Amino acid sequence: MENDNAKFKNEFKKRLYNWVLRLIKFIDKLPKDSVCHVLGKQLLRSGTSILANYIEANSASSKKDFINFFTHSLKSANESKVWLTLLRDTDKGDKNELVWLLKELIEIANILASSILTLKGRINFIILICHFDF
């Protein structure tokens, strides 16, 4: 039987994977114009990087390496928020899917940031989460 920590890690990995799948489908359905082409490519890179770095962390050779992969994953999440926000504010893409992707991404970023704080064992740490209230 899985312990709570292992169960949470497994569920988070599935949640992140499903978010990336929905992101890919969202990007694939963007209008075929120059703005969406550029923003879509950037979003595809940063969005898939969140998952890739999270997976890499699981085979890290040290705690420092593990934290670095989590940090890169969080940075990619913050970058992805920029591209999604720009698409939202330029009225590109499915509005309902954009709302869901942004909401889920914020929750994912919060989990990553919280994990980094726990791994570093610090209470007073500079907040790594970037919020966009444009």
Side-chain angles (χ1 to χ4, degrees), residues 9 37 42 48 87 112 116:
K9 287 179 183 179
H37 178 74
Q42 294 287 61
T48 54
L87 287 167
L112 291 169
I116 293 166

Side-chain angles (χ1 to χ4, degrees), residues 30-44:
L30 284 172
K32 306 301 181 207
D33 60 34
S34 59
V35 170
C36 289
H37 178 74
V38 172
L39 295 181
K41 281 180 112 175
Q42 294 287 61
L43 180 56
L44 182 62

Side-chain angles (χ1 to χ4, degrees), residues 16 19-20 23 42-57 69-77 79-80 112:
L16 185 51
W19 182 85
V20 172
L23 179 71
Q42 294 287 61
L43 180 56
L44 182 62
R45 286 184 186 114
S46 63
T48 54
S49 179
I50 302 166
L51 176 63
N53 280 293
Y54 179 79
I55 298 299
E56 282 294 316
F69 280 117
F70 260 60
T71 302
H72 288 298
S73 189
L74 179 58
K75 287 180 178 183
S76 293
E79 180 183 346
S80 296
L112 291 169

